[in-house]
Amino acid sequence: MKLVVGLGNPGSRYETTRHNVGFMAADLIGDEMDVSISQKFGKSLVAEAHYAGEKVVLAKPQCYMNRSGLAVKEIASYFNIEAEDMIIIHDDLDIDFGRLRVRTKGGHGGHRGIISVMETVGSEGFVRVKIGIGRAPGEMDPAEYVLSAFDAGEWDIMKETLQRACDAVLCLLTEDAETAMNRYNCGVLSDS
């Protein structure tokens, strides 16, 4: 059994912000599996699906980003899922806009959702699918930047990036992390 978690903040105010690309990617994965991540389960919205012969729990924590680990641990404990069977999808300021990076472990890079998951689950051994949102422009506060919406040009690129993130997760479920990293840890999508 696998647990796929998209990180974000709950509520319509945050729905289309950079910090919520994890939620957006999770919804695309749900579409691919023909399920809606809408069933209330503790601190999350979840859906259960089967994909390539594997049971998969898709989740979107409904607590704020810096408390995401509480929701992840609640699901993992209930379904008896170990860290190495978790895939966490999240935004990353340190990755160029429109780029993906699949990682099997590592540090948190200052991402408060990942910090919360690592502390609460007690492991860094989960797979991450990092969606690059790039650095805040000029003197803009990074906290303000991650809670801002995409402009039209950015959204065109991000839609493609989110689909690639979805494809990367499906690859992780059907093949392995090395294949996913080789296939998806490359190139920035752009108009040029």
Side-chain angles (χ1 to χ4, degrees):
M1 181 181 294
K2 302 288 186 187
L3 172 60
V4 177
V5 181
L7 297 186
N9 284 313
S12 58
R13 175 181 173 196
Y14 302 105
E15 193 171 1
T16 59
T17 65
R18 298 167 200 278
H19 224 16
N20 274 34
V21 293
F23 277 9
M24 296 174 205
D27 285 334
L28 285 176
I29 295 161
D31 291 346
E32 289 288 333
M33 295 182 181
D34 203 28
V35 296
S36 172
I37 306 171
S38 57
Q39 180 183 344
K40 185 78 173 126
F41 179 91
K43 297 173 182 64
S44 300
L45 294 176
V46 301
E48 294 180 53
H50 284 86
Y51 188 79
E54 177 106 58
K55 184 171 181 181
V56 180
V57 178
L58 302 173
K60 298 192 303 186
Q62 296 299 292
C63 36
Y64 286 101
M65 184 69 80
N66 63 351
R67 296 176 58 81
S68 299
L70 298 173
V72 172
K73 183 171 183 177
E74 184 177 56
I75 297 165
S77 295
Y78 181 83
F79 288 100
N80 198 28
I81 300 170
E82 298 295 326
E84 55 270 15
D85 291 318
M86 298 179 194
I87 301 168
I88 311 290
I89 313 163
H90 65 92
D91 61 299
D92 197 305
L93 284 165
D94 294 323
I95 299 175
D96 291 339
F97 187 89
R99 189 170 204 146
L100 287 184
R101 186 167 299 145
V102 178
R103 296 286 303 268
T104 54
K105 58 183 176 180
H108 51 71
H111 192 286
R112 294 191 179 173
I114 295 298
I115 292 169
S116 177
V117 173
M118 290 170 97
E119 289 177 349
T120 312
V121 172
S123 173
E124 64 175 44
F126 49 88
V127 175
R128 304 104 199 267
V129 176
K130 303 176 175 197
I131 300 172
I133 61 170
R135 279 273 163 203
E139 299 296 314
M140 187 177 192
D141 178 3
E144 184 181 326
Y145 176 69
V146 299
L147 296 179
S148 67
F150 300 106
D151 67 32
E154 289 175 324
W155 183 239
D156 287 342
I157 295 168
M158 188 50 62
K159 281 192 291 189
E160 293 180 46
T161 306
L162 290 168
Q163 184 58 56
R164 286 180 65 238
C166 171
D167 294 344
V169 170
L170 298 179
C171 179
L172 286 161
L173 294 173
T174 57
E175 298 186 55
D176 56 38
E178 186 174 348
T179 302
M181 288 188 283
N182 289 335
R183 194 173 294 165
Y184 295 98
N185 288 2
C186 60
V188 175
L189 296 174
S190 68
D191 300 339
S192 53

